[in-house]
Amino acid sequence: MASQLAMGGDVSAAAKLLLRGELVGIPTETVYGLAANVFDVDAVLRIFEVKARPAFDPLIVHIHDRAQLSALVSQVLPEAEALMRCFWPGPLTLVLPKSAAVPDVVTSGLDTVAIRMPNHPLTLALLQVIDTPLAAPSANPFGYVSPTTAAHVADQLGEKIPYVLDGGPCTVGVESTIIGWEDGLPVLYRPGGLPIEEIEAVIGSVRPHVQKVLPVAPGMIESHYAPRKPLIVGDVGSLLVKHRDKSIGVISFTNNLGAVRCETLSPSGDLKEAARNLFGAIRFLDASDVELIVAEVFPDRELGRAINDRLRRASA
Ligand code: TXA
Ligand code: MG
């Protein structure tokens, strides 16, 4: 393992490292990923080690060209085809029946594989140069907030990986929306950067996944995306009163509560801007001297659904 992390925009350096079996931090429009060559089992196993991620939590595979699908999946359903046409490259992950070529460590033994085409010029260029798909979960220690800048990756994984490809701050800021099919019907595994309303406009209604005994899809693990400080979601006014003995940091959609430490995610009320700023605000307050983070409930539509999902899990 490397002890000195480098950070920069050098696609060919990143490619060389990946082809030698090393891990590299990669930018995407959603969050930064921790990437390995999907067909290199040892490298994929190191992703789990570096993140301290449980082996039952499957990874997402990143491609730059739909021609790469044939090596990864055994079937592309017509609805999946339609979604790819509309939304790739973009913040949408599709769970499809896997081909035998995808190592079981990638999918945690499931017979499906999660795939997406990220919309970031550096990572698309990287995928083209190496010409192999990349398995990449978010580049954070398991359970912590996902990174939305190269510096976030360096802060948390800097001693464990040799390189972060720096593509600037993520433009979407929450992870991809994950859609799969059960009994032939579309299912939402994780609300994310592509609003479900836009997906339903293409394939009709999508039902939320109902968890069985074990998390099938662990973005579904309840406590996730969590800061180290306690975080409570609810009515900010009454929470401030209830916890008035503590120093509190607030996450608000549009309000700026002058008297209190407050991260206002979008003064103009733009849910996309709010999503872009969410994880940075959580990290900032987590690193500050507040004792408690209080967040308001966001409008339950479009990216507000992904924001509420992440806040709820951060508070679990
Ligand atoms: O935006 C994103 O999706 C980012 C960037 C880096 O692409 N990646 C990301 O990966 O969020 P990660 O590992 O943090 O979340 C992957 C989640 C798993 O926790 C699981 O919920 C779901 O994807 N997943 C992966 N394979 C699956 C499968 N075969 N069936 C159901 N869910 C799956
Ligand atoms: Mg993650």
Side-chain angles (χ1 to χ4, degrees):
M1 258 180 217
S3 57
Q4 197 77 55
L5 169 112
M7 208 156 83
D10 190 342
V11 168
S12 65
K16 277 192 202 118
L17 289 164
L18 287 163
L19 292 173
R20 290 214 294 261
E22 305 262 9
L23 307 186
V24 169
I26 58 166
T28 84
E29 77 281 36
T30 57
V31 299
Y32 273 73
L34 177 64
N37 175 355
V38 71
F39 298 120
D40 183 335
V41 170
D42 290 335
V44 172
L45 285 170
R46 261 211 330 286
I47 290 180
F48 287 89
E49 189 185 313
V50 163
K51 279 190 57 120
R53 179 178 177 110
F56 62 76
D57 191 358
L59 307 179
I60 295 175
V61 180
H62 297 68
I63 61 173
H64 71 94
D65 187 332
R66 278 164 59 184
Q68 294 177 293
L69 280 175
S70 57
L72 301 170
V73 306
S74 59
Q75 195 194 354
V76 179
L77 309 168
E79 286 180 345
E81 189 78 46
L83 293 176
M84 288 174 201
R85 228 178 300 123
C86 292
F87 301 117
W88 278 7
L92 172 67
T93 294
L94 299 174
V95 174
L96 297 168
K98 101 188 229 320
S99 78
V102 179
D104 285 331
V105 287
V106 173
T107 60
S108 303
L110 297 173
D111 54 10
T112 52
V113 58
I115 303 187
R116 86 179 193 98
M117 190 186 291
N119 190 13
H120 192 291
L122 278 190
T123 289
L124 288 171
L126 173 65
L127 285 163
Q128 191 154 15
V129 169
I130 58 174
D131 199 31
T132 176
L134 291 174
S138 50
N140 49 284
F142 182 72
Y144 195 71
V145 183
S146 298
T148 51
T149 66
H152 292 164
V153 181
D155 284 349
Q156 292 192 302
L157 300 180
E159 281 135 47
K160 298 180 172 162
I161 59 174
Y163 196 68
V164 181
L165 189 60
D166 186 351
C170 299
T171 54
V172 173
V174 291
E175 300 85 350
S176 59
T177 303
I178 306 180
I179 299 283
W181 283 264
E182 289 177 12
D183 305 320
L185 296 173
V187 173
L188 175 67
Y189 287 119
R190 178 174 75 183
L194 181 66
I196 193 68
E197 291 89 338
E198 291 187 34
I199 293 168
E200 291 189 322
V202 178
I203 59 169
S205 82
V206 175
R207 71 200 152 98
H209 174 82
V210 181
Q211 191 140 315
K212 300 181 183 133
V213 182
L214 284 170
V216 176
M220 304 184 166
I221 294 169
E222 270 304 305
S223 168
H224 216 86
Y225 312 106
R228 299 182 216 293
K229 304 256 168 80
L231 184 151
I232 305 178
V233 187
D235 178 65
V236 170
S238 36
L239 286 168
L240 286 177
V241 173
K242 183 167 172 203
H243 297 280
R244 62 181 164 272
D245 55 322
K246 298 199 181 75
S247 78
I248 296 180
V250 175
I251 295 179
S252 164
F253 183 19
T254 57
N255 292 324
N256 188 348
L257 310 173
V260 208
R261 177 86 58 93
C262 182
E263 291 294 297
T264 310
L265 300 191
S266 174
S268 68
D270 176 352
L271 285 167
K272 283 190 176 169
E273 182 181 41
R276 188 152 65 229
N277 290 329
L278 175 68
F279 287 152
I282 295 177
R283 266 173 200 270
F284 177 76
L285 291 175
D286 205 18
S288 76
D289 55 8
V290 304
E291 296 165 272
L292 173 67
I293 305 171
V294 160
E296 69 185 32
V297 180
F298 282 64
D300 198 37
R301 60 182 160 79
E302 299 154 13
L303 288 188
R305 297 203 198 179
I307 294 172
N308 286 334
D309 173 80
R310 302 306 186 269
L311 286 172
R312 188 172 55 73
R313 290 174 202 279
S315 70

